[in-house]
Amino acid sequence: MNARVHPTAVVAAGARIAADVEIGPYSVIGDKVEIGEGTWIGSHVVLDGSLRIGRRNKIFHFASLGAAPQDKKYAGEDTRVEIGDGNTIREYVTINRGTAQDVGVTRLGNDNWLMAYVHLAHDCQVGSNTVFANCTQLAGHVTIEDWAILGGFSAVHQHVRIGAHAFTGMGSAMSQDVPPYVTAAPFGLNSNGLKRRGFSEQAMSELKRAYRTLYRSGLTLEKAKQELEAQAVSSPEVRVLLDFVVASKRGIIR
């Protein structure tokens, strides 16, 4: 290991660290930690447990990644955290290991932006290109799909799923699933986000129609699903929305 390690940092002998990794003052790196090329670790960071960190990540001061889950059932099983490439993880972020009661791994994909005091609890599955504003809190077993944006102080209940390209406003509390493409608190289609990501006018029009069917038509959820089935024939975006709604186990926010 030829990484640039500050002399006050503590790095366990078993840690696997790429040669160009930089580790700041007073950080602690555990024996089962793996850190990929181009990653920067600030000061007072704790990396613990079975933890794999990919390439080109920036992990800021006082973050704690890979610690044991906050779950009374946890009995020391060898669960883990997997973090992809290109993530920015700001001050005081906490990401806990998975549990034996679920998949056993907490995952964070690529190119995510986690602001200060964000918490990802055990067994959370987070995709890529997401944004978590300050103090966003995920309970255990939560799924966040690609390109979702969670506003500051958002709170997500256990087992809830947030769909791709969804948006939650500041202070939102989600106890049910949030479908793809929509905003929660305030409610609506995430039109601005979809435009920024290059969705065509045709796709936007079809999603607006689907949103009205799901939320503004007065139909029961089952009737709305039938309407969406017909709309999905000509729209892959509506098909994604419908598949999410059909698969929802907690029910969608309506």
Side-chain angles (χ1 to χ4, degrees), residues 1-5 15-23 33-39 53-56:
M1 181 184 69
N2 298 312
R4 293 172 289 175
V5 180
R16 299 168 58 191
I17 301 174
D20 61 348
V21 169
E22 182 175 349
I23 299 174
V33 173
E34 177 183 347
I35 306 175
E37 295 87 352
T39 291
I53 298 171
R55 299 170 296 168
R56 305 184 313 279

Side-chain angles (χ1 to χ4, degrees), residues 39-193:
T39 291
W40 174 85
I41 310 294
S43 66
H44 298 87
V45 172
V46 177
L47 306 179
D48 193 16
S50 296
L51 169 62
R52 186 189 68 79
I53 298 171
R55 299 170 296 168
R56 305 184 313 279
N57 293 285
K58 293 183 178 180
I59 302 172
F60 282 74
H61 324 303
F62 299 98
S64 174
L65 312 182
Q70 298 176 100
D71 187 324
K72 289 184 176 181
K73 298 184 295 298
Y74 181 69
E77 297 90 350
D78 188 20
T79 54
R80 63 194 190 277
V81 170
E82 295 178 356
I83 295 174
D85 303 330
N87 297 289
T88 296
I89 299 173
R90 294 302 303 246
E91 296 83 356
Y92 296 98
V93 168
T94 54
I95 303 178
N96 293 164
R97 299 198 296 270
T99 63
Q101 288 73 39
D102 200 331
V103 294
V105 56
T106 303
R107 292 189 178 94
L108 179 69
N110 304 320
D111 300 308
N112 297 288
W113 186 272
L114 277 60
M115 299 185 195
Y117 292 96
V118 166
H119 175 63
L120 307 187
H122 57 85
D123 303 293
C124 286
Q125 309 294 309
V126 178
S128 298
N129 299 292
T130 66
V131 176
F132 291 66
N134 297 302
C135 300
T136 295
Q137 307 288 294
L138 304 189
H141 318 284
V142 166
T143 298
I144 309 292
E145 297 183 355
D146 296 348
W147 296 102
I149 298 177
L150 279 69
F153 295 89
S154 291
V156 186
H157 194 277
Q158 285 188 346
H159 299 283
V160 162
R161 184 178 171 200
I162 308 294
H165 302 280
F167 177 92
T168 70
M170 181 179 67
S172 301
M174 275 71 65
S175 59
Q176 292 179 295
D177 295 346
V178 179
Y181 313 118
V182 308
T183 68
F187 289 97
L189 189 69
N190 187 16
S191 299
N192 290 333

